[in-house]
């Protein structure tokens, strides 16, 4: 994700931004030592396993502590990347003000909501709820972004996607056996991402600062926000369970810091359209990891509904073809 070194860029489509990131698509593509397909697969695994790591982390620490640790270690990774590239943090009170809002909407709030949700719902369900972000983004962008016009295909995808959500939740059974609070928090976390992306497009698109610089500042502010909130709602642990602690460190360094760097590199090399396809692998890997490693149960409606959600999300990202001029 060193693609952030390009100073002047144009904003990518709403759903192409990775969870918790602040990025635009650079115009240049560079060859990388490691094939992009391997990095794509690695990114899918990292983000797919993130929900398992959240679940393990909350087994030993409070959700706010998990989120704070995640943001802290993710910020450290980006700080190293910024120093390595001899970049600098953005300047200007207005920029930092907008970054504070994006830090809340794209990092502090959704990360905390997912951590709290996994106290009562399986990591598999949290991963599938995360896949609804493109659906929320499509619905919101039709209202908030004038350049996103509805088409029959995209509206059909929106309806199909939310039908998939109802299938995952077992609506025909009256949501029996489902923790309403945990599921609602996971869905609100997924909704927070597109709200943050829309805010960024309306306030920071076309910024002269590099993407790496902006994202590093955003994570720094999110860490500061959690540093204030966490002591108010939690107490300092008297002991530090090793496995949950390692899960938090891995979640921060890999699932937040390194994942953002990989994503930017993919956008730079193969473009946002290809890079965004990672979205469709995350719930599959999250489900497989939760079932195989954590032993979480899986009803037939969960994978079937997940497929419907992903199909709907794919349709919402379709763009009308324009006839070429002779």
């Amino acid at each position: 994700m060193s693609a952030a070194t390009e100073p002047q860029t144009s904003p990518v489509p709403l759903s192409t931004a990775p969870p918790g990131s602040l990025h635009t698509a650079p115009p240049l593509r560079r060859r990388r030592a490691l094939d992009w397909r391997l990095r794509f697969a690695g990114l899918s695994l990292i983000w797919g396993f993130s929900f398992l790591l959240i679940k393990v982390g909350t087994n030993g620490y409070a959700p706010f502590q998990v989120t704070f640790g995640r943001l802290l270690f993710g910020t450290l990774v980006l700080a190293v990347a910024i120093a390595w590239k001899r970049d600098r943090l953005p300047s200007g009170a207005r920029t930092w003000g907008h970054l504070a809002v994006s830090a809340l909407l794209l990092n502090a709030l959704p990360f905390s909501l997912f951590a709290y949700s996994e106290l009562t719902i399986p990591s598999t369900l949290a991963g599938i709820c995360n896949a609804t972000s493109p659906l929320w983004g499509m619905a919101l962008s039709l209202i908030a972004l004038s350049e996103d016009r509805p088409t029959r295909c995209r509206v059909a995808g929106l309806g199909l996607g939310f039908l998939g959500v109802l299938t995952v939740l077992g609506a025909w059974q009256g949501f029996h056996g489902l923790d309403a609070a945990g599921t609602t928090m996971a869905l609100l976390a997924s909704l927070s991402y597109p709200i943050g992306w829309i805010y960024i497009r309306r306030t920071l698109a076309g910024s002269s600062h590099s993407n790496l610089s902006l994202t590093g500042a955003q994570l720094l502010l999110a860490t500061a926000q959690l540093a204030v909130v966490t002591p108010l709602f939690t107490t300092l642990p008297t002991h530090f369970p090793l496995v949950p602690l390692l899960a938090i460190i891995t979640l921060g360094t890999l699932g937040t810091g390194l994942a953002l760097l990989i994503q930017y590199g993919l956008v730079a090399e193969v473009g946002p359209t290809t890079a965004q396809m990672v979205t469709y692998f995350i719930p599959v890997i999250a489900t497989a990891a939760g079932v195989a490693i954590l032993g979480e149960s899986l009803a037939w409606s969960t994978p079937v509904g997940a497929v419907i959600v992903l199909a709907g999300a794919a349709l919402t990202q379709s763009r009308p073809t324009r006839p070429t001029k002779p």
Side-chain angles (χ1 to χ4, degrees), residues 191-204:
L191 173 62
S192 182
Y193 289 134
I195 293 176
W197 298 332
I198 290 174
Y199 180 82
I200 287 171
R201 287 180 63 171
R202 298 177 75 95
T203 59
L204 291 172

Side-chain angles (χ1 to χ4, degrees), residues 7-325:
Q8 294 289 347
T9 57
S10 59
V12 296
L14 181 66
S15 62
T16 63
S21 75
L22 172 69
H23 81 274
T24 52
L28 300 179
R29 297 183 182 182
R30 301 185 179 118
R31 294 184 63 85
R32 304 284 174 169
L34 187 63
D35 186 83
W36 73 267
R37 296 171 186 83
L38 295 177
R39 284 180 281 123
F40 183 95
L43 183 61
S44 301
L45 288 171
I46 290 172
W47 272 337
F49 270 87
S50 291
F51 296 95
L52 179 147
L53 294 173
I54 294 172
K55 173 69 77 172
V56 175
T58 54
N59 287 335
Y61 300 92
F64 275 137
Q65 293 169 345
V66 173
T67 303
F68 174 69
R70 174 182 187 175
L71 289 169
L72 176 62
F73 287 104
T75 301
L76 291 176
V77 171
L78 289 185
V80 171
I82 290 173
W84 177 265
K85 291 185 172 296
R86 298 182 180 180
D87 204 345
R88 66 178 65 182
L89 291 176
S91 58
R94 178 180 176 276
T95 299
W96 280 90
H98 290 315
L99 286 173
V101 177
S102 66
L104 174 65
L105 294 174
L106 291 173
N107 302 117
L109 179 60
F111 290 179
S112 299
L113 286 172
F114 272 126
Y116 268 101
S117 72
E118 291 199 39
L119 292 177
T120 55
I121 67 172
S123 65
T124 54
L125 180 56
I128 293 172
C129 287
N130 180 75
T132 63
S133 279
L135 302 176
W136 296 119
M138 178 74 254
L140 291 173
S141 66
L142 294 178
I143 301 172
L145 299 174
S146 58
E147 65 268 28
D148 285 330
R149 300 298 183 183
T151 64
R152 291 180 181 178
C153 186
R154 299 173 75 182
V155 172
L158 194 61
L160 182 64
F162 285 112
L163 176 62
V165 172
L166 294 177
T167 303
V168 169
L169 302 182
W172 65 93
Q173 304 177 77
F175 308 106
H176 177 70
L178 189 71
D179 184 80
T183 305
T184 300
M185 283 189 285
L187 290 173
L188 287 176
S190 303
L191 173 62
S192 182
Y193 289 134
I195 293 176
W197 298 332
I198 290 174
Y199 180 82
I200 287 171
R201 287 180 63 171
R202 298 177 75 95
T203 59
L204 291 172
S207 172
S208 60
H209 302 288
S210 73
N211 297 325
L212 179 61
S213 170
L214 290 170
T215 304
Q218 177 184 302
L219 284 186
L220 178 62
L221 288 168
T223 305
Q225 290 168 357
L226 262 295
V228 173
V229 171
T230 302
L232 298 178
F233 294 93
T234 65
T235 57
L236 188 67
T238 56
H239 64 287
F240 297 87
L242 180 59
V243 173
L245 180 60
L246 291 176
I248 294 172
I249 294 173
T250 304
L251 181 65
T253 55
L254 298 184
T256 304
L258 181 62
L260 291 177
L261 296 176
I262 295 174
Q263 173 73 1
Y264 289 151
L266 288 173
V267 171
E269 185 171 348
V270 300
T273 301
T274 301
Q276 76 169 343
M277 295 301 292
V278 71
T279 303
Y280 306 114
F281 291 89
I282 293 174
V284 177
I285 295 172
T287 300
V291 172
I293 299 177
L294 297 180
E296 295 176 345
S297 60
L298 190 68
W300 68 267
S301 58
T302 302
V304 171
V307 171
I308 298 174
V309 168
L310 295 177
L315 286 176
T316 62
Q317 303 312 305
S318 63
R319 293 290 187 268
T321 57
R322 297 178 179 177
T324 57
K325 297 180 179 181

